Structures are given as structure tokens and as C-alpha cells.
Amino acid sequence: MAYLYLLLLCEVKFLKELGQYLKKTRISNGVSLEEAAGDLEISSVQLENIESGNVKAFKDVYSLKEYVKQYAKYLGIDPDKVVDEFNGFLFEHTSKISLDDIRAAQKKIQEKEEKKIKSPYTIEHKEKFNFWPLIIGIAIILLFSILVYLIISSTNKAPSRDTELMNVKENDIYEFAY
């Protein structure tokens, strides 16, 4: 969109000249605007816009280029030559656009977007939070904690009094006494 906006001023003259050439060719071929529109399956308004050089009527430069190419082919003009001239014109003028002009155009577009009125009835779709990684992480931590608890509790278990007395030998008792 910014691309079309920047080229708007430069293209008007070129497109008017191209449109006049296409219109003269159509008239010299004896084809009416409505007939050409019907054959190309394009609205007559779009063909009028091409012939008058109205850039604003098209959503972008690329769709305009396709319409011009179809129209030139229909009129018996070499479409590749027309497209080459169109591309050459675009390249010549876009290579001369300064970064400051591009930034200014982007800023204007951004300001227009910010000024748009939002309806209170418009639902803004918020991105849903995915809970599965959180749940899996908590489950892993709990299992690890339980495993550590079981290992620690089984190694630190004090022997019962009976087994302690059974392990003491008689000699050990006498050694204690001395």
C-alpha cells in the first residue's frame, strides 16, 4: 500500500500517456469500451481508469500491471513490450525515492490506521494461552520431587531396635566393658 502511495504522483503522467495510447489503439481497432470490457471480463469502469491513468482505482501496482498487460494483448499490442516499459518506469522512479520520503509515507499510513474508529461491538480475538506445556512441566517436577523424597526416606531410615541388638556380637559387648 505504501508502495502505491509513493508512486502515485510519479505514475499519473506515465499512466495517462499509456492509457491514451491504449484508448487510441482501441478506437482505431473499432472496439467500444463496453465490448472490450466484456471480452476481457473486466468492468468498463476499470478500463476507463486504465485509459485515464487513475492509479487510485486499483488496489496495488501489480494488479494494475496485469490489467494493462491483458488489455494490451487484447488490442494486439506486444504485452511484453508494454510490461517492460511499465517495469522500467517503476524502477526508474522507485530508485529515486529517498528513505525520508518512504518513512514519511509509512508514518502517514500509520497515522491513518490509528485514527480508524473502533466499534465497541467489534470482538478482538486474543491469542489463546496454551496450558499443556505448563501442566506437563508441573507434573514432571512433582514426579521428580516424589522420587527424591522416596530415595531420601529409604536411605535415612533408622534400623529398628531388635535388628540393632541382633547385630551386636557377644565379643562386642565385652569389648565395650573394658
Side-chain angles (χ1 to χ4, degrees):
M1 174 114 178
Y3 186 65
L4 181 64
Y5 184 78
L6 290 172
L7 296 176
L8 185 60
L9 298 174
C10 301
E11 288 185 3
V12 172
K13 183 178 178 184
F14 172 78
L15 290 177
K16 281 187 179 181
E17 291 172 3
L18 177 63
Q20 288 172 357
Y21 175 72
L22 293 172
K23 184 176 182 178
K24 286 179 186 177
T25 306
R26 176 182 56 79
I27 292 171
S28 69
N29 288 343
V31 179
S32 71
L33 189 66
E34 290 76 21
E35 183 180 353
D39 291 342
L40 291 170
E41 296 179 0
I42 298 174
S43 72
S44 58
V45 173
Q46 287 176 319
L47 286 182
E48 278 182 25
N49 287 325
I50 290 172
E51 289 181 351
S52 66
N54 185 4
V55 180
K56 292 180 182 180
F58 299 94
K59 66 179 182 178
D60 59 28
V61 177
Y62 304 106
S63 62
L64 172 62
K65 184 169 72 171
E66 285 301 313
Y67 287 137
V68 168
K69 181 179 178 180
Q70 288 177 3
Y71 195 28
K73 187 175 181 180
Y74 173 78
L75 294 173
I77 303 169
D78 183 14
D80 294 330
K81 183 179 177 185
V82 172
V83 169
D84 286 343
E85 288 182 29
F86 193 89
N87 288 339
F89 171 79
L90 288 178
F91 177 75
E92 180 182 323
H93 288 285
T94 56
S95 63
K96 294 179 182 177
I97 298 172
S98 70
L99 288 176
D100 293 334
D101 292 339
I102 293 171
R103 287 185 188 118
Q106 287 175 340
K107 186 176 180 181
K108 285 182 183 179
I109 291 170
Q110 188 177 18
E111 288 172 357
K112 284 182 183 179
E113 290 292 323
E114 290 173 358
K115 288 182 182 179
K116 284 186 179 179
I117 299 173
K118 292 185 180 180
S119 169
Y121 303 109
T122 304
I123 298 173
E124 291 185 19
H125 298 285
K126 294 182 181 177
E127 191 173 316
K128 292 183 179 180
F129 183 74
N130 191 0
F131 287 100
W132 285 111
L134 180 65
I135 292 171
I136 292 171
I138 291 172
I140 290 172
I141 291 171
L142 285 174
L143 288 173
F144 182 75
S145 300
I146 292 170
L147 182 64
V148 168
Y149 173 75
L150 290 175
I151 291 172
I152 291 173
S153 65
S154 66
T155 57
N156 288 341
K157 196 172 193 182
S160 66
R161 201 74 174 135
D162 294 337
T163 54
E164 192 176 307
L165 292 175
M166 289 174 63
N167 290 336
V168 176
K169 298 179 184 175
E170 285 183 34
N171 293 338
D172 290 339
I173 296 173
Y174 290 62
E175 288 177 14
F176 236 148
Y178 295 135

